[in-house]
Amino acid sequence: DGGITQSPKYLFRKEGQNVTLSCEQNLNHDAMYWYRQDPGQGLRLIYYSQIVNDFQKGDIAEGYSVSREKKESFPLTVTSAQKNPTAFYLCASSLTGTDTYEQYFGPGTRLTVT
Amino acid sequence: KNQVEQSPQSLIILEGKNCTLQCNYTVSPFSNLRWYKQDTGRGPVSLTIMTFSENTKSNGRYTATLDADTKQSSLHITASQLSDSASYICVVGSGGSYIPTFGRGTSLIVHP
């Protein structure tokens, strides 16, 4: 059963704590992406990776960090430096790192920080 | 700056009625345009994709049109169902860019 998975679906953390969101894909895609979605707003790009061991900042990378040690995995860490971390986080993957190819999205993780 | 504007922001219709959502873009160069459906609390799912040479594409009750000259697209939903209640997102690729441009989406609510 191919696809892209994110875990957990809901995550609660106290302010000041770092938290890591998981994203795994078995589609053999080279590129992976992290987006943030807030109510009434479009998807905003946090980080993307075109290939293993390489990643680039998106529009709102401050307060976030990523790693891409394996093709299948692209975890996102929300650090305590992120001033407003409560949001819905979406991971996506595509065959290659150009926008010619469709992005497939995971089910999302809703992070609540209090 | 590449931009994608969607209208209306929200729409409420009765079950069984048709509706049309609009997408205007200023992405250049243009490569492709996709419509995604996003159910509440879920990830977006692709409905249609159109390239420069295509002006219409259907997926069941969903029909997308593209006018590359005016840089406009529409998504027409026929005989709406309660399950059509979702956000519909227009996404435009510029060919060779690593990241497409996303619209903010139209929130559709279908009432029984």
Side-chain angles (χ1 to χ4, degrees):
Chain A
D1 188 23
I4 181 166
T5 59
Q6 293 183 241
S7 62
K9 187 169 179 62
Y10 299 97
L11 191 54
F12 298 88
R13 279 294 181 270
K14 293 290 188 184
E15 196 172 317
Q17 293 179 335
N18 292 353
V19 59
T20 297
L21 282 59
S22 169
C23 178
E24 303 278 334
Q25 56 97 1
N26 60 4
L27 301 169
N28 200 31
H29 286 173
D30 283 329
M32 296 187 75
Y33 313 79
W34 274 105
Y35 294 92
R36 170 181 172 140
Q37 188 174 37
D38 295 284
Q41 296 202 33
L43 275 65
R44 292 186 289 169
L45 181 67
I46 304 173
Y47 269 98
Y48 65 101
S49 168
Q50 299 168 52
I51 199 166
V52 176
N53 292 323
D54 184 57
F55 49 83
Q56 287 80 40
K57 292 181 179 180
D59 300 323
I60 56 166
E62 184 176 352
Y64 300 97
S65 66
V66 295
S67 63
R68 185 86 187 277
E69 298 176 359
K70 298 187 300 182
K71 187 175 186 178
E72 303 80 20
S73 178
F74 191 40
L76 172 74
T77 297
V78 184
T79 75
S80 56
Q82 168 49 235
K83 295 192 179 353
N84 186 18
T86 295
F88 188 54
Y89 291 88
L90 285 162
C91 179
S93 70
S94 63
L95 187 60
T96 73
T98 69
D99 64 6
T100 302
Y101 296 96
E102 176 182 352
Q103 291 190 7
Y104 292 82
F105 287 86
T109 291
R110 185 166 300 280
L111 173 64
T112 302
V113 177
T114 58
Chain B
K1 180 181 177 183
N2 290 337
Q3 285 190 315
V4 174
E5 300 288 339
Q6 292 188 242
S7 62
Q9 186 174 358
S10 61
L11 182 62
I12 300 174
I13 63 173
L14 291 175
E15 186 178 12
K17 298 296 186 182
N18 303 336
C19 66
T20 300
L21 314 180
Q22 300 290 341
C23 173
N24 296 338
Y25 61 92
T26 56
V27 176
S28 181
F30 173 84
S31 171
N32 58 72
L33 186 146
R34 298 188 177 96
W35 283 94
Y36 282 86
K37 177 187 179 188
Q38 183 179 21
D39 292 319
T40 301
R42 308 286 293 272
V45 175
S46 179
L47 291 174
T48 64
I49 176 172
M50 291 178 291
T51 59
F52 186 88
S53 59
E54 298 173 295
N55 56 20
T56 187
K57 184 71 71 77
S58 290
N59 178 0
R61 294 180 296 102
Y62 301 100
T63 299
T65 64
L66 173 65
D67 185 334
D69 291 331
T70 61
K71 298 186 177 182
Q72 295 180 326
S73 176
S74 65
L75 180 69
H76 186 75
I77 304 174
T78 303
S80 61
Q81 300 176 358
L82 298 179
S83 59
D84 292 330
S85 295
S87 179
Y88 292 84
I89 304 171
C90 177
V91 184
V92 181
S94 62
S97 170
Y98 298 117
I99 306 299
T101 304
F102 288 79
R104 293 191 173 193
T106 291
S107 175
L108 174 66
I109 298 174
V110 180
H111 279 315

